[in-house]
Every structure is written in C-alpha cells, then in structure tokens.
Amino acid sequence: MMSKHDTPLRADCAIDTDGRITFRLPPASAARPQLLLALRPKKGRPETTSHHLELEPDPADGKWHAVLEPLQALDEGRWDFYLLPEPGAERQRLRPGLRDLRALVDGHLRDRPSPVAVRIPYVTKDGFLALRAWLRTAHAEARALDVTDRAITVEARLHGARLHEDATVRLRLRGSDTVRSLRPRIDEDGRGFSFTAGQKDLTVDGGGAGRFWDAFVLPTADARPIRIGRLLDDVADRKHVYVYPAMTTDGTAARPYYTVDNDLAIEMT
C-alpha cells in the first residue's frame, strides 16, 4: 500500500485518429519493465484476461514508452493499468499523467469499418488510469436527440454495415420479449438514419412506469440487431454527463438516456 510520503507512479498517454495509444512513464531503474493491462472482472469473479506491452527507453529523455496498436483487439470492458518492473515482480497500479485525447473529440465524423473497436483512456473514481474498450461487429452512433412533448427523435449513423430499404429500428422492453418496430428515415449513403418514437410506441399493457426500452437497428429485416449508442468521442462514461428532458403525456414520462455502457435507452417513469 502506498504511504502518504510515496510519489504516485503516473503514466502519460496520447491517442491518434487510428486508435493507437502511446504511453510514457518516468525513467526507472528496472531492467525489463512491462505495461500490464488487466481486464476488470465482474464483481466476485477472478481476473482472467490481461495483455503485456514491452516498455522501451526513449533516448531523447530517458522515459519509458509503450504502444498499444489499433489492431491489438481488446475485449469489451474496463481495463486497468499497472507497471510490472520485471516478469514475476509485484505490479504497481498507475495514476494518470497527461491524457491527450484530442483525436477522439470528432471521432463520430469518421466512418469505421467492421469490426468497430473503440478505446477511451479515462480516470477512475478513485483516481487511477484505466481504459474503456468496446469491440462490436457494427455500431450505430447516436448523434442528435430531440425531445418534444409528443415524440423523441434520434439521429444516428451506422458504422461497419449499411442500411437497406427494409431496415428497421427496434425498441425492446428490457427483461421481456416485447418489441416495437419503427421505420427509420435512411440517408442516401445508407449509413445515416433517424427515427421517431411517440408515446404510443412506448406504452404497454399494465402501464409503462419503471420500465426501460433499449434501442437497436437492423440493417435488413432479418439481420441481427445492432445496438444504438454513443461511443465515438472522448467521453468514457456518458450516463450522468448527457442528461435529456422527458416527454410527458397523461402522467407518464419517457426520457432518453445513455446506459453505463453508453448505449441508448428510454426510461419510463
């Protein structure tokens, strides 16, 4: 455990438009240091997945650096960073230094091929460096959300696939088999689309309060559903950052929001 007199070990990181992340750590006396990425397991589960990156000294300033290449696939989830001074040594968790995420800010403007891999370095609630990773065959990036007293309209763009004439937006009531199918308005390039959900689309027998609708798009009528969310910028945790008003009708409110995984959903209250 670190005492109050110890200096936290910090790592700088910078990401480019291709998703390549370069890490830099202060000079150290270690002979064979490695940067360890550990996938955070679900609560109560053991840690099972990790990656090691070799740290190399930079002749210019003596700092150690490592590169996480864009083609190195990371499982979807949250990854914690550690310094491993040498193989078999006790690992040391890293604090964040400078984080250069400028290349991510307008990431939604670039079309992505399949599979869609997204990585966003961020700072955990307890002040450590971590990485949020998504890896999906295709992804529908939500853009503008417009909420009125009658409807919720969503604009989005599909990455890793194209929409066909029989494309469908599907709202699925969480924890049930209940679905609502909506016809999207499709842009000429087959990637951009929008859809509108009214109160009747979100109403179910027995009332709707306390329920949640998850949003998907199907590129063709028989295709696998693709989650609609917002991943392609520098915000790792969007749920409490992007807050939208509710559509209220007959005492029932429908409010769009982003889940803990940055996926789009609609909450009924």
Side-chain angles (χ1 to χ4, degrees), residues 52 115 171 235:
H52 294 76
L171 302 179
V235 181

Side-chain angles (χ1 to χ4, degrees), residues 39-67:
L39 180 62
R40 194 180 306 165
K42 293 182 179 180
K43 189 174 182 179
R45 299 287 185 87
E47 183 181 294
T48 59
T49 305
S50 63
H51 289 282
H52 294 76
L53 300 177
E54 297 295 333
L55 283 161
E56 302 290 344
D58 188 332
D61 57 13
K63 288 188 175 182
W64 295 94
H65 73 276
V67 177

Side-chain angles (χ1 to χ4, degrees), residues 104-122:
L104 298 180
V105 174
D106 60 355
H108 63 285
L109 300 178
R110 300 187 298 274
D111 288 333
R112 311 296 179 96
S114 178
V116 180
V118 181
R119 298 123 170 233
I120 305 177
Y122 73 101

Side-chain angles (χ1 to χ4, degrees), residues 170 172 216-219 223-227:
R170 179 176 295 173
R172 186 171 65 198
F216 303 82
V217 63
L218 286 68
R224 295 186 63 178
I226 297 170
R227 202 70 165 89

Side-chain angles (χ1 to χ4, degrees), residues 134-149:
W134 290 267
L135 183 62
R136 301 182 177 182
T137 302
H139 163 65
E141 178 76 356
R143 292 186 173 181
L145 271 67
D146 181 56
V147 182
T148 69
D149 58 353

